[in-house]
Amino acid sequence: MAKIFCVANQKGGVGKTTTAVNLAASLAALDQRVLLIDLDPQGNATMGSGIDKAACEHTIYEVLVDGVTLRDARKRPEAVDYDVLPANRELAGAEVELVGVENREHVLRGALAEVIEDYDFVLIDCPPALSLLTLNGLCSADGVIIPMQCEYFALEGLSDLVNTIKQVHANLNRDLKVIGLLRVMFDPRITLQQQVSDQLKEHFGGKVFDVVIPRNVRLAEAPSYGLPGVVFDKSSRGAQAYIQFGTEMMERVRAL
Ligand code: ADP
Ligand code: MG
């Protein structure tokens, strides 16, 4: 049965999608069966996996709102070895349409049930908000991966997210835990980043992943080719770090 993880941080541009897409590719390269769920109306994980978000017959929106099955809506892009549940801007409407639905936080969880045996990992790329969509992600998941840049305000934003995770754990999903904090876009030459990284380790100890993802332009270029960095340029420093991250995730999951 699949282990389900959200990649979440309510800030935008902190590396969620890059992490979700590259972790999916990295786990697939380790022969894991992976489903990547795009839970962001921006559809960046969809495009970054090589799917044209404007040309999808079905998307996650219809799964959440219209009762289309996940089996019918998922896709296998040509260039990658994992499945994708695509999203596009229609998904923004789900936020409103779900409000009146019973058990509205658990709709995604319900939809996932039928495919859970098909995968070893389900990764959910969350939108940059603590919204009903993100809640659906958190209510479906066994754990949360939090990518973060080691910047001055990073720790401050973190407490809101950690509090939300605690509340979801207490009220909606007893299985939910923080799997780890992933330092991304890291530049060791910047003293402040080193300092914030040290603070993170003091505060969160073993919850900080060992792997550090460097700032690397190949990771930023890959989406414009519709490819994860790990597939686009496997030998780049960024890709190598995400490949290592896949191995570290496998170890953490074994220890769960
Ligand atoms: P989010 O999903 O949290 O909004 P993204 O993953 O889309 O964040 O990343 C924001 C931007 O930073 C994107 O343009 C992405 O290509 C770039 N980026 C992400 N990680 C790295 C990295 N390690 N090195 C260089 N650029 C990165
Ligand atoms: Mg994103």
Side-chain angles (χ1 to χ4, degrees):
M1 203 168 89
K3 286 281 176 201
I4 305 172
F5 300 105
C6 279
V7 181
N9 187 324
Q10 76 277 26
K11 286 194 184 182
V14 293
K16 287 182 293 296
T17 301
T18 306
T19 296
V21 165
N22 282 286
L23 180 58
S26 166
L27 290 169
L30 292 166
D31 288 329
Q32 300 299 295
R33 300 167 303 161
V34 181
L35 170 65
L36 174 61
I37 295 183
D38 193 346
L39 195 53
D40 186 344
Q42 293 179 84
N44 293 344
T46 301
M47 298 291 280
S49 301
I51 296 174
D52 180 357
K53 66 182 176 186
C56 291
E57 193 190 342
H58 297 304
T59 63
I60 185 171
Y61 169 79
E62 289 146 303
V63 172
L64 294 177
V65 172
D66 289 339
V68 168
T69 65
L70 215 156
R71 253 193 205 118
D72 285 337
R74 67 185 169 186
K75 281 181 144 221
R76 169 60 65 103
E78 261 167 51
V80 302
D81 292 322
Y82 56 85
D83 287 349
V84 176
L85 177 56
N88 57 31
R89 51 197 294 192
E90 258 192 327
L91 178 59
E95 191 80 50
V96 178
E97 287 174 63
L98 284 176
V99 165
V101 171
E102 204 181 330
N103 279 329
R104 56 181 182 245
E105 300 92 353
H106 293 293
V107 179
L108 180 61
R109 188 191 186 106
L112 263 170
E114 67 158 357
V115 299
I116 196 114
E117 300 292 342
D118 298 353
Y119 301 103
D120 301 303
F121 285 89
V122 175
L123 303 175
I124 304 173
D125 184 29
C126 288
L130 297 172
S131 58
L132 183 52
L133 286 174
T134 298
L135 270 182
N136 263 272
L138 295 175
C139 285
S140 309
D142 299 298
V144 188
I145 298 164
I146 306 174
M148 53 183 307
Q149 286 175 260
C150 292
E151 287 174 347
Y152 185 64
F153 288 116
L155 286 167
E156 211 168 293
L158 207 55
S159 59
D160 290 338
L161 179 58
V162 170
N163 282 334
T164 301
I165 293 168
K166 277 188 187 151
Q167 280 183 21
V168 172
H169 174 82
N171 300 309
L172 294 164
N173 176 9
R174 299 297 300 176
D175 294 333
L176 189 69
K177 46 199 147 315
V178 174
I179 302 298
L181 295 148
L182 179 66
R183 291 163 287 173
V184 299
M185 297 187 226
F186 194 76
D187 184 344
R189 293 166 303 183
I190 300 175
T191 312
L192 178 65
Q193 294 208 2
Q194 283 290 0
Q195 286 168 348
V196 173
S197 171
D198 291 344
Q199 275 178 12
L200 268 185
K201 279 197 277 191
E202 260 168 50
H203 255 78
F204 293 96
K207 285 284 180 200
V208 181
F209 286 108
D210 293 334
V211 171
V212 178
I213 310 296
R215 185 171 281 286
N216 178 244
V217 69
R218 302 300 269 169
L219 289 173
E221 287 167 352
S224 63
Y225 296 86
L227 292 171
V230 165
V231 177
F232 173 61
D233 183 357
K234 195 179 166 189
S235 64
S236 65
R237 280 192 319 125
Q240 285 298 314
Y242 273 114
I243 288 168
Q244 267 185 44
F245 180 48
T247 306
E248 190 172 0
M249 268 303 288
M250 299 269 290
E251 284 162 10
R252 293 232 172 178
V253 168
R254 240 175 261 131
L256 277 183

PDB file of all heavy atoms in Angstrom, residues 174-205:
ATOM      1  N   ARG A 174      -5.088  11.456  12.378  1.00  0.00           N
ATOM      2  CA  ARG A 174      -4.139  11.048  13.426  1.00  0.00           C
ATOM      3  C   ARG A 174      -2.831  10.493  12.865  1.00  0.00           C
ATOM      4  O   ARG A 174      -1.853  10.344  13.594  1.00  0.00           O
ATOM      5  CB  ARG A 174      -4.766   9.968  14.328  1.00  0.00           C
ATOM      6  CG  ARG A 174      -6.003  10.392  15.061  1.00  0.00           C
ATOM      7  CD  ARG A 174      -5.761  11.516  16.042  1.00  0.00           C
ATOM      8  NE  ARG A 174      -4.800  11.188  17.084  1.00  0.00           N
ATOM      9  CZ  ARG A 174      -4.384  12.059  18.015  1.00  0.00           C
ATOM     10  NH1 ARG A 174      -4.826  13.303  17.995  1.00  0.00           N
ATOM     11  NH2 ARG A 174      -3.520  11.695  18.938  1.00  0.00           N
ATOM     12  N   ASP A 175      -2.822  10.132  11.578  1.00  0.00           N
ATOM     13  CA  ASP A 175      -1.606   9.548  10.984  1.00  0.00           C
ATOM     14  C   ASP A 175      -0.581  10.605  10.590  1.00  0.00           C
ATOM     15  O   ASP A 175       0.571  10.293  10.326  1.00  0.00           O
ATOM     16  CB  ASP A 175      -1.958   8.765   9.710  1.00  0.00           C
ATOM     17  CG  ASP A 175      -2.810   7.557  10.012  1.00  0.00           C
ATOM     18  OD1 ASP A 175      -2.714   7.037  11.147  1.00  0.00           O
ATOM     19  OD2 ASP A 175      -3.598   7.145   9.132  1.00  0.00           O
ATOM     20  N   LEU A 176      -1.000  11.860  10.518  1.00  0.00           N
ATOM     21  CA  LEU A 176      -0.155  12.890   9.932  1.00  0.00           C
ATOM     22  C   LEU A 176       1.033  13.248  10.823  1.00  0.00           C
ATOM     23  O   LEU A 176       0.891  13.448  12.016  1.00  0.00           O
ATOM     24  CB  LEU A 176      -0.991  14.156   9.679  1.00  0.00           C
ATOM     25  CG  LEU A 176      -0.282  15.233   8.862  1.00  0.00           C
ATOM     26  CD1 LEU A 176      -0.101  14.771   7.429  1.00  0.00           C
ATOM     27  CD2 LEU A 176      -1.077  16.543   8.900  1.00  0.00           C
ATOM     28  N   LYS A 177       2.205  13.296  10.204  1.00  0.00           N
ATOM     29  CA  LYS A 177       3.388  13.781  10.925  1.00  0.00           C
ATOM     30  C   LYS A 177       4.299  14.547   9.977  1.00  0.00           C
ATOM     31  O   LYS A 177       4.192  14.406   8.760  1.00  0.00           O
ATOM     32  CB  LYS A 177       4.149  12.629  11.580  1.00  0.00           C
ATOM     33  CG  LYS A 177       4.373  11.422  10.683  1.00  0.00           C
ATOM     34  CD  LYS A 177       4.690  10.214  11.529  1.00  0.00           C
ATOM     35  CE  LYS A 177       4.197   8.877  10.975  1.00  0.00           C
ATOM     36  NZ  LYS A 177       2.864   8.782  10.441  1.00  0.00           N
ATOM     37  N   VAL A 178       5.188  15.330  10.562  1.00  0.00           N
ATOM     38  CA  VAL A 178       6.201  15.988   9.738  1.00  0.00           C
ATOM     39  C   VAL A 178       7.290  14.956   9.476  1.00  0.00           C
ATOM     40  O   VAL A 178       7.888  14.424  10.412  1.00  0.00           O
ATOM     41  CB  VAL A 178       6.792  17.219  10.450  1.00  0.00           C
ATOM     42  CG1 VAL A 178       7.947  17.796   9.653  1.00  0.00           C
ATOM     43  CG2 VAL A 178       5.719  18.278  10.673  1.00  0.00           C
ATOM     44  N   ILE A 179       7.530  14.649   8.220  1.00  0.00           N
ATOM     45  CA  ILE A 179       8.590  13.696   7.883  1.00  0.00           C
ATOM     46  C   ILE A 179       9.932  14.406   7.946  1.00  0.00           C
ATOM     47  O   ILE A 179      10.898  13.886   8.491  1.00  0.00           O
ATOM     48  CB  ILE A 179       8.395  13.112   6.464  1.00  0.00           C
ATOM     49  CG1 ILE A 179       7.038  12.430   6.345  1.00  0.00           C
ATOM     50  CG2 ILE A 179       9.510  12.129   6.115  1.00  0.00           C
ATOM     51  CD1 ILE A 179       6.835  11.265   7.267  1.00  0.00           C
ATOM     52  N   GLY A 180       9.972  15.606   7.381  1.00  0.00           N
ATOM     53  CA  GLY A 180      11.236  16.317   7.463  1.00  0.00           C
ATOM     54  C   GLY A 180      11.211  17.661   6.772  1.00  0.00           C
ATOM     55  O   GLY A 180      10.325  17.977   5.986  1.00  0.00           O
ATOM     56  N   LEU A 181      12.208  18.455   7.155  1.00  0.00           N
ATOM     57  CA  LEU A 181      12.427  19.758   6.529  1.00  0.00           C
ATOM     58  C   LEU A 181      13.571  19.620   5.543  1.00  0.00           C
ATOM     59  O   LEU A 181      14.638  19.098   5.882  1.00  0.00           O
ATOM     60  CB  LEU A 181      12.818  20.771   7.601  1.00  0.00           C
ATOM     61  CG  LEU A 181      11.738  21.061   8.637  1.00  0.00           C
ATOM     62  CD1 LEU A 181      12.340  21.388   9.982  1.00  0.00           C
ATOM     63  CD2 LEU A 181      10.887  22.207   8.145  1.00  0.00           C
ATOM     64  N   LEU A 182      13.324  20.081   4.328  1.00  0.00           N
ATOM     65  CA  LEU A 182      14.342  19.951   3.283  1.00  0.00           C
ATOM     66  C   LEU A 182      14.895  21.336   2.939  1.00  0.00           C
ATOM     67  O   LEU A 182      14.139  22.220   2.528  1.00  0.00           O
ATOM     68  CB  LEU A 182      13.718  19.304   2.042  1.00  0.00           C
ATOM     69  CG  LEU A 182      14.650  19.120   0.841  1.00  0.00           C
ATOM     70  CD1 LEU A 182      15.754  18.104   1.157  1.00  0.00           C
ATOM     71  CD2 LEU A 182      13.855  18.668  -0.391  1.00  0.00           C
ATOM     72  N   ARG A 183      16.190  21.491   3.130  1.00  0.00           N
ATOM     73  CA  ARG A 183      16.819  22.767   2.776  1.00  0.00           C
ATOM     74  C   ARG A 183      17.050  22.798   1.266  1.00  0.00           C
ATOM     75  O   ARG A 183      17.726  21.925   0.728  1.00  0.00           O
ATOM     76  CB  ARG A 183      18.146  22.906   3.545  1.00  0.00           C
ATOM     77  CG  ARG A 183      17.947  23.086   5.050  1.00  0.00           C
ATOM     78  CD  ARG A 183      19.193  22.805   5.826  1.00  0.00           C
ATOM     79  NE  ARG A 183      19.487  21.366   5.863  1.00  0.00           N
ATOM     80  CZ  ARG A 183      20.599  20.851   6.363  1.00  0.00           C
ATOM     81  NH1 ARG A 183      21.550  21.636   6.837  1.00  0.00           N
ATOM     82  NH2 ARG A 183      20.770  19.538   6.366  1.00  0.00           N
ATOM     83  N   VAL A 184      16.438  23.789   0.617  1.00  0.00           N
ATOM     84  CA  VAL A 184      16.540  23.877  -0.847  1.00  0.00           C
ATOM     85  C   VAL A 184      17.137  25.210  -1.274  1.00  0.00           C
ATOM     86  O   VAL A 184      17.215  26.151  -0.484  1.00  0.00           O
ATOM     87  CB  VAL A 184      15.152  23.691  -1.531  1.00  0.00           C
ATOM     88  CG1 VAL A 184      14.563  22.334  -1.203  1.00  0.00           C
ATOM     89  CG2 VAL A 184      14.197  24.804  -1.145  1.00  0.00           C
ATOM     90  N   MET A 185      17.550  25.257  -2.544  1.00  0.00           N
ATOM     91  CA  MET A 185      18.160  26.462  -3.138  1.00  0.00           C
ATOM     92  C   MET A 185      19.280  26.978  -2.245  1.00  0.00           C
ATOM     93  O   MET A 185      19.454  28.185  -2.073  1.00  0.00           O
ATOM     94  CB  MET A 185      17.107  27.560  -3.355  1.00  0.00           C
ATOM     95  CG  MET A 185      16.016  27.145  -4.335  1.00  0.00           C
ATOM     96  SD  MET A 185      14.929  28.524  -4.726  1.00  0.00           S
ATOM     97  CE  MET A 185      13.327  27.751  -4.561  1.00  0.00           C
ATOM     98  N   PHE A 186      20.031  26.051  -1.695  1.00  0.00           N
ATOM     99  CA  PHE A 186      21.035  26.412  -0.689  1.00  0.00           C
ATOM    100  C   PHE A 186      22.317  26.903  -1.352  1.00  0.00           C
ATOM    101  O   PHE A 186      22.806  26.305  -2.308  1.00  0.00           O
ATOM    102  CB  PHE A 186      21.333  25.194   0.188  1.00  0.00           C
ATOM    103  CG  PHE A 186      22.091  25.541   1.436  1.00  0.00           C
ATOM    104  CD1 PHE A 186      21.441  26.150   2.504  1.00  0.00           C
ATOM    105  CD2 PHE A 186      23.450  25.283   1.537  1.00  0.00           C
ATOM    106  CE1 PHE A 186      22.128  26.484   3.659  1.00  0.00           C
ATOM    107  CE2 PHE A 186      24.147  25.611   2.691  1.00  0.00           C
ATOM    108  CZ  PHE A 186      23.489  26.210   3.754  1.00  0.00           C
ATOM    109  N   ASP A 187      22.829  28.002  -0.812  1.00  0.00           N
ATOM    110  CA  ASP A 187      24.104  28.541  -1.280  1.00  0.00           C
ATOM    111  C   ASP A 187      25.039  28.677  -0.080  1.00  0.00           C
ATOM    112  O   ASP A 187      24.888  29.595   0.731  1.00  0.00           O
ATOM    113  CB  ASP A 187      23.886  29.905  -1.946  1.00  0.00           C
ATOM    114  CG  ASP A 187      25.175  30.439  -2.539  1.00  0.00           C
ATOM    115  OD1 ASP A 187      26.271  29.937  -2.182  1.00  0.00           O
ATOM    116  OD2 ASP A 187      25.093  31.366  -3.360  1.00  0.00           O
ATOM    117  N   PRO A 188      25.995  27.755   0.072  1.00  0.00           N
ATOM    118  CA  PRO A 188      26.836  27.727   1.278  1.00  0.00           C
ATOM    119  C   PRO A 188      27.741  28.949   1.413  1.00  0.00           C
ATOM    120  O   PRO A 188      28.275  29.207   2.494  1.00  0.00           O
ATOM    121  CB  PRO A 188      27.674  26.452   1.099  1.00  0.00           C
ATOM    122  CG  PRO A 188      27.646  26.172  -0.360  1.00  0.00           C
ATOM    123  CD  PRO A 188      26.333  26.708  -0.879  1.00  0.00           C
ATOM    124  N   ARG A 189      27.875  29.721   0.313  1.00  0.00           N
ATOM    125  CA  ARG A 189      28.732  30.911   0.411  1.00  0.00           C
ATOM    126  C   ARG A 189      28.046  32.040   1.167  1.00  0.00           C
ATOM    127  O   ARG A 189      28.688  32.988   1.592  1.00  0.00           O
ATOM    128  CB  ARG A 189      29.096  31.413  -0.997  1.00  0.00           C
ATOM    129  CG  ARG A 189      29.988  30.461  -1.771  1.00  0.00           C
ATOM    130  CD  ARG A 189      30.014  30.847  -3.221  1.00  0.00           C
ATOM    131  NE  ARG A 189      28.663  30.856  -3.772  1.00  0.00           N
ATOM    132  CZ  ARG A 189      28.361  31.096  -5.043  1.00  0.00           C
ATOM    133  NH1 ARG A 189      29.328  31.383  -5.907  1.00  0.00           N
ATOM    134  NH2 ARG A 189      27.110  31.073  -5.466  1.00  0.00           N
ATOM    135  N   ILE A 190      26.737  31.926   1.314  1.00  0.00           N
ATOM    136  CA  ILE A 190      26.005  32.988   2.007  1.00  0.00           C
ATOM    137  C   ILE A 190      25.938  32.659   3.497  1.00  0.00           C
ATOM    138  O   ILE A 190      25.324  31.667   3.904  1.00  0.00           O
ATOM    139  CB  ILE A 190      24.586  33.149   1.407  1.00  0.00           C
ATOM    140  CG1 ILE A 190      24.710  33.498  -0.082  1.00  0.00           C
ATOM    141  CG2 ILE A 190      23.796  34.207   2.160  1.00  0.00           C
ATOM    142  CD1 ILE A 190      23.392  33.563  -0.827  1.00  0.00           C
ATOM    143  N   THR A 191      26.602  33.496   4.297  1.00  0.00           N
ATOM    144  CA  THR A 191      26.728  33.223   5.726  1.00  0.00           C
ATOM    145  C   THR A 191      25.360  33.082   6.393  1.00  0.00           C
ATOM    146  O   THR A 191      25.144  32.185   7.209  1.00  0.00           O
ATOM    147  CB  THR A 191      27.501  34.368   6.417  1.00  0.00           C
ATOM    148  OG1 THR A 191      28.664  34.614   5.635  1.00  0.00           O
ATOM    149  CG2 THR A 191      27.902  33.979   7.818  1.00  0.00           C
ATOM    150  N   LEU A 192      24.433  33.966   6.006  1.00  0.00           N
ATOM    151  CA  LEU A 192      23.103  33.916   6.624  1.00  0.00           C
ATOM    152  C   LEU A 192      22.444  32.555   6.414  1.00  0.00           C
ATOM    153  O   LEU A 192      21.791  32.023   7.316  1.00  0.00           O
ATOM    154  CB  LEU A 192      22.205  35.021   6.042  1.00  0.00           C
ATOM    155  CG  LEU A 192      20.768  35.019   6.583  1.00  0.00           C
ATOM    156  CD1 LEU A 192      20.744  35.330   8.070  1.00  0.00           C
ATOM    157  CD2 LEU A 192      19.898  36.005   5.819  1.00  0.00           C
ATOM    158  N   GLN A 193      22.630  31.976   5.226  1.00  0.00           N
ATOM    159  CA  GLN A 193      22.011  30.674   4.957  1.00  0.00           C
ATOM    160  C   GLN A 193      22.603  29.601   5.866  1.00  0.00           C
ATOM    161  O   GLN A 193      21.883  28.734   6.370  1.00  0.00           O
ATOM    162  CB  GLN A 193      22.182  30.298   3.480  1.00  0.00           C
ATOM    163  CG  GLN A 193      21.410  31.225   2.561  1.00  0.00           C
ATOM    164  CD  GLN A 193      20.979  30.550   1.251  1.00  0.00           C
ATOM    165  OE1 GLN A 193      21.225  29.368   1.028  1.00  0.00           O
ATOM    166  NE2 GLN A 193      20.339  31.323   0.401  1.00  0.00           N
ATOM    167  N   GLN A 194      23.908  29.668   6.077  1.00  0.00           N
ATOM    168  CA  GLN A 194      24.546  28.730   7.015  1.00  0.00           C
ATOM    169  C   GLN A 194      23.968  28.894   8.415  1.00  0.00           C
ATOM    170  O   GLN A 194      23.670  27.915   9.100  1.00  0.00           O
ATOM    171  CB  GLN A 194      26.072  28.981   7.071  1.00  0.00           C
ATOM    172  CG  GLN A 194      26.836  28.431   5.895  1.00  0.00           C
ATOM    173  CD  GLN A 194      26.894  26.893   5.893  1.00  0.00           C
ATOM    174  OE1 GLN A 194      26.366  26.231   6.777  1.00  0.00           O
ATOM    175  NE2 GLN A 194      27.536  26.336   4.886  1.00  0.00           N
ATOM    176  N   GLN A 195      23.796  30.160   8.824  1.00  0.00           N
ATOM    177  CA  GLN A 195      23.287  30.424  10.178  1.00  0.00           C
ATOM    178  C   GLN A 195      21.862  29.897  10.338  1.00  0.00           C
ATOM    179  O   GLN A 195      21.540  29.243  11.336  1.00  0.00           O
ATOM    180  CB  GLN A 195      23.310  31.931  10.470  1.00  0.00           C
ATOM    181  CG  GLN A 195      24.714  32.455  10.720  1.00  0.00           C
ATOM    182  CD  GLN A 195      24.771  33.985  10.728  1.00  0.00           C
ATOM    183  OE1 GLN A 195      23.812  34.664  10.336  1.00  0.00           O
ATOM    184  NE2 GLN A 195      25.905  34.529  11.159  1.00  0.00           N
ATOM    185  N   VAL A 196      21.007  30.166   9.340  1.00  0.00           N
ATOM    186  CA  VAL A 196      19.616  29.703   9.433  1.00  0.00           C
ATOM    187  C   VAL A 196      19.583  28.170   9.406  1.00  0.00           C
ATOM    188  O   VAL A 196      18.822  27.536  10.139  1.00  0.00           O
ATOM    189  CB  VAL A 196      18.753  30.305   8.301  1.00  0.00           C
ATOM    190  CG1 VAL A 196      17.356  29.699   8.306  1.00  0.00           C
ATOM    191  CG2 VAL A 196      18.659  31.819   8.453  1.00  0.00           C
ATOM    192  N   SER A 197      20.452  27.591   8.592  1.00  0.00           N
ATOM    193  CA  SER A 197      20.540  26.135   8.529  1.00  0.00           C
ATOM    194  C   SER A 197      20.923  25.557   9.899  1.00  0.00           C
ATOM    195  O   SER A 197      20.330  24.565  10.354  1.00  0.00           O
ATOM    196  CB  SER A 197      21.566  25.741   7.461  1.00  0.00           C
ATOM    197  OG  SER A 197      21.823  24.363   7.519  1.00  0.00           O
ATOM    198  N   ASP A 198      21.872  26.187  10.568  1.00  0.00           N
ATOM    199  CA  ASP A 198      22.266  25.732  11.913  1.00  0.00           C
ATOM    200  C   ASP A 198      21.100  25.869  12.902  1.00  0.00           C
ATOM    201  O   ASP A 198      20.857  24.975  13.714  1.00  0.00           O
ATOM    202  CB  ASP A 198      23.468  26.544  12.420  1.00  0.00           C
ATOM    203  CG  ASP A 198      24.733  26.215  11.634  1.00  0.00           C
ATOM    204  OD1 ASP A 198      24.746  25.172  10.943  1.00  0.00           O
ATOM    205  OD2 ASP A 198      25.698  27.005  11.699  1.00  0.00           O
ATOM    206  N   GLN A 199      20.388  26.996  12.804  1.00  0.00           N
ATOM    207  CA  GLN A 199      19.226  27.209  13.685  1.00  0.00           C
ATOM    208  C   GLN A 199      18.170  26.131  13.470  1.00  0.00           C
ATOM    209  O   GLN A 199      17.583  25.627  14.420  1.00  0.00           O
ATOM    210  CB  GLN A 199      18.572  28.556  13.371  1.00  0.00           C
ATOM    211  CG  GLN A 199      19.194  29.727  14.081  1.00  0.00           C
ATOM    212  CD  GLN A 199      18.511  31.038  13.668  1.00  0.00           C
ATOM    213  OE1 GLN A 199      17.464  31.029  13.041  1.00  0.00           O
ATOM    214  NE2 GLN A 199      19.131  32.154  14.017  1.00  0.00           N
ATOM    215  N   LEU A 200      17.950  25.816  12.192  1.00  0.00           N
ATOM    216  CA  LEU A 200      16.973  24.784  11.860  1.00  0.00           C
ATOM    217  C   LEU A 200      17.336  23.476  12.540  1.00  0.00           C
ATOM    218  O   LEU A 200      16.492  22.791  13.111  1.00  0.00           O
ATOM    219  CB  LEU A 200      16.954  24.538  10.349  1.00  0.00           C
ATOM    220  CG  LEU A 200      15.991  25.303   9.482  1.00  0.00           C
ATOM    221  CD1 LEU A 200      16.080  24.778   8.051  1.00  0.00           C
ATOM    222  CD2 LEU A 200      14.564  25.164   9.997  1.00  0.00           C
ATOM    223  N   LYS A 201      18.625  23.134  12.468  1.00  0.00           N
ATOM    224  CA  LYS A 201      19.053  21.868  13.053  1.00  0.00           C
ATOM    225  C   LYS A 201      18.928  21.899  14.585  1.00  0.00           C
ATOM    226  O   LYS A 201      18.574  20.899  15.202  1.00  0.00           O
ATOM    227  CB  LYS A 201      20.472  21.531  12.610  1.00  0.00           C
ATOM    228  CG  LYS A 201      20.470  20.913  11.210  1.00  0.00           C
ATOM    229  CD  LYS A 201      21.742  20.193  10.886  1.00  0.00           C
ATOM    230  CE  LYS A 201      22.767  21.176  10.409  1.00  0.00           C
ATOM    231  NZ  LYS A 201      23.963  20.545   9.831  1.00  0.00           N
ATOM    232  N   GLU A 202      19.206  23.064  15.183  1.00  0.00           N
ATOM    233  CA  GLU A 202      19.028  23.197  16.638  1.00  0.00           C
ATOM    234  C   GLU A 202      17.575  22.980  17.025  1.00  0.00           C
ATOM    235  O   GLU A 202      17.270  22.272  17.970  1.00  0.00           O
ATOM    236  CB  GLU A 202      19.432  24.612  17.073  1.00  0.00           C
ATOM    237  CG  GLU A 202      20.824  24.686  17.681  1.00  0.00           C
ATOM    238  CD  GLU A 202      21.255  26.138  17.814  1.00  0.00           C
ATOM    239  OE1 GLU A 202      20.465  26.939  18.358  1.00  0.00           O
ATOM    240  OE2 GLU A 202      22.363  26.465  17.346  1.00  0.00           O
ATOM    241  N   HIS A 203      16.677  23.640  16.278  1.00  0.00           N
ATOM    242  CA  HIS A 203      15.252  23.600  16.583  1.00  0.00           C
ATOM    243  C   HIS A 203      14.638  22.244  16.295  1.00  0.00           C
ATOM    244  O   HIS A 203      13.835  21.740  17.058  1.00  0.00           O
ATOM    245  CB  HIS A 203      14.519  24.595  15.668  1.00  0.00           C
ATOM    246  CG  HIS A 203      14.085  25.837  16.348  1.00  0.00           C
ATOM    247  ND1 HIS A 203      14.952  26.852  16.636  1.00  0.00           N
ATOM    248  CD2 HIS A 203      12.866  26.222  16.798  1.00  0.00           C
ATOM    249  CE1 HIS A 203      14.286  27.824  17.227  1.00  0.00           C
ATOM    250  NE2 HIS A 203      13.025  27.469  17.338  1.00  0.00           N
ATOM    251  N   PHE A 204      14.967  21.699  15.143  1.00  0.00           N
ATOM    252  CA  PHE A 204      14.212  20.548  14.643  1.00  0.00           C
ATOM    253  C   PHE A 204      15.021  19.253  14.616  1.00  0.00           C
ATOM    254  O   PHE A 204      14.477  18.202  14.281  1.00  0.00           O
ATOM    255  CB  PHE A 204      13.654  20.844  13.245  1.00  0.00           C
ATOM    256  CG  PHE A 204      12.600  21.920  13.242  1.00  0.00           C
ATOM    257  CD1 PHE A 204      12.931  23.231  12.962  1.00  0.00           C
ATOM    258  CD2 PHE A 204      11.274  21.619  13.532  1.00  0.00           C
ATOM    259  CE1 PHE A 204      11.965  24.228  12.970  1.00  0.00           C
ATOM    260  CE2 PHE A 204      10.298  22.607  13.547  1.00  0.00           C
ATOM    261  CZ  PHE A 204      10.645  23.919  13.262  1.00  0.00           C
ATOM    262  N   GLY A 205      16.297  19.336  14.964  1.00  0.00           N
ATOM    263  CA  GLY A 205      17.132  18.141  15.101  1.00  0.00           C
ATOM    264  C   GLY A 205      17.019  17.185  13.925  1.00  0.00           C
ATOM    265  O   GLY A 205      17.208  17.558  12.770  1.00  0.00           O
TER     266      GLY A 205
END
